[in-house]
Amino acid sequence: MDFITGETLYIDKPLEWTSFDVVKRVRGVLLHRLHRKKLKVGHAGTLDPLASGVMIVVTGRSTKLIESLQAGVKEYIATIKLGATTPSYDLETEIDATYPTAHITRELIDGALTRFVGRIEQVPPAFSACKVDGKRAYDMARKGKEVDLKPKVLVVDEIEVEEFNPDEMTLRLRIVCSKGTYIRALARDIGEALGSGGHLIGLRRTRVGEVSVDDCLSVDQVVELIRTTDITIPDDQES
């Protein structure tokens, strides 16, 4: 393998790791193996720490492919808790409001989900990396400042109910969508469409473009691959 000319790694990001944690781990092992002080390593499409699944990591000159790789359609398995909201729309923050759920049925859910297929507008979460006046929205939100984010147009190709548990008021969905879709914001909007509230309690990215989670290695497997595989170690190439 030639990590300087460029390689693409498919990694199953674990829960509680940031995308940067994965890149840092891969870069550290590569630098040690290649006996170098620097090497370009990047990723195509950020995953929140509370999400797991497909993460594409590229090295060397393949970092030029990041934009095209992250443009691929994404598939997620999302679990939403209905009847309650949080400021971050997921489990990063505590519940701030609760809502009635007795009226929610599978038929109501099926009808509401049709509104979220196709081209839709979505307001990103305040707890996101979007920039407002040059500042990250999440930095402002965590300081208790009001964040004014504009709606973005995106495309949701498919939403399929995998399971609805009326006792727990949890809804598991398979979602196929375009780059830039915030599944946390979708959980918020679905909760509102059901005349209640909702927040994300589980998220797994199962596909990016043609890359499935079945194609991915764990972080430990990638580390072992780098340490044991035959690697081209040129003396005169720049990273």
Side-chain angles (χ1 to χ4, degrees):
M1 301 183 79
D2 188 342
F3 288 98
I4 296 173
T5 298
E7 295 287 351
T8 302
L9 301 168
Y10 305 143
I11 298 176
D12 185 349
K13 187 191 85 65
L15 281 172
E16 299 185 0
W17 283 52
T18 66
S19 297
F20 178 74
D21 288 337
V22 176
V23 168
K24 183 179 178 181
R25 179 69 171 134
V26 171
R27 183 190 291 116
V29 177
L30 279 171
L31 291 177
H32 184 267
R33 180 74 199 279
L34 293 167
H35 308 295
R36 296 174 69 89
K37 292 184 178 180
K38 62 178 183 178
L39 176 69
K40 290 180 181 177
V41 181
H43 66 87
T46 301
L47 269 180
D48 290 337
L50 295 177
S52 66
V54 180
M55 184 173 160
I56 301 177
V57 173
V58 288
T59 75
R61 296 169 191 165
S62 289
T63 53
K64 296 176 182 178
L65 303 175
I66 286 176
E67 188 172 343
S68 61
L69 288 171
Q70 64 187 12
V73 169
K74 315 292 193 303
E75 180 184 73
Y76 297 91
I77 302 299
T79 304
I80 300 169
K81 175 71 173 178
L82 300 172
T85 58
T86 72
S88 60
Y89 312 146
D90 64 6
L91 294 175
E92 181 182 342
T93 53
E94 298 293 326
I95 290 172
D96 60 356
T98 58
Y99 301 86
T101 58
H103 65 286
I104 298 176
T105 63
R106 175 59 190 269
E107 291 72 26
L108 185 68
I109 290 168
D110 289 341
L113 291 181
T114 61
R115 307 180 208 174
F116 298 97
V117 178
R119 289 174 62 86
I120 65 171
E121 285 193 347
Q122 181 186 79
V123 178
F127 287 77
S128 69
C130 294
K131 287 190 175 182
V132 181
D133 298 327
K135 298 178 181 178
R136 294 291 185 187
Y138 57 69
D139 287 332
M140 299 171 65
R142 285 168 184 158
K143 292 175 182 176
K145 297 181 179 179
E146 188 171 337
V147 181
D148 182 24
L149 292 169
K150 305 302 181 186
K152 294 185 176 181
V153 176
L154 49 89
V155 178
V156 176
D157 295 306
E158 298 178 53
I159 297 184
E160 177 186 11
V161 177
E162 289 211 329
E163 181 183 27
F164 171 54
N165 185 327
D167 297 321
E168 299 291 332
M169 271 297 148
T170 55
L171 177 63
R172 190 172 72 235
L173 304 173
R174 185 182 70 87
I175 302 166
V176 180
C177 56
S178 65
K179 170 190 172 183
T181 304
Y182 282 94
I183 306 300
R184 289 180 286 141
L186 204 56
R188 168 203 64 196
D189 295 341
I190 290 170
E192 289 181 358
L194 291 171
S196 184
H199 64 282
L200 195 65
I201 61 171
L203 184 64
R204 184 156 175 78
R205 187 157 69 192
T206 51
R207 182 165 60 89
V208 175
E210 298 301 316
V211 181
S212 163
V213 72
D214 294 333
D215 303 317
C216 295
L217 300 176
S218 69
V219 173
D220 287 343
Q221 287 173 323
V222 169
V223 168
E224 184 66 16
L225 174 70
I226 294 169
R227 286 175 174 167
T228 59
T229 194
D230 289 335
I231 290 182
T232 301
I233 309 180
D235 316 298
D236 55 354
Q237 291 191 54
E238 297 182 358
S239 62

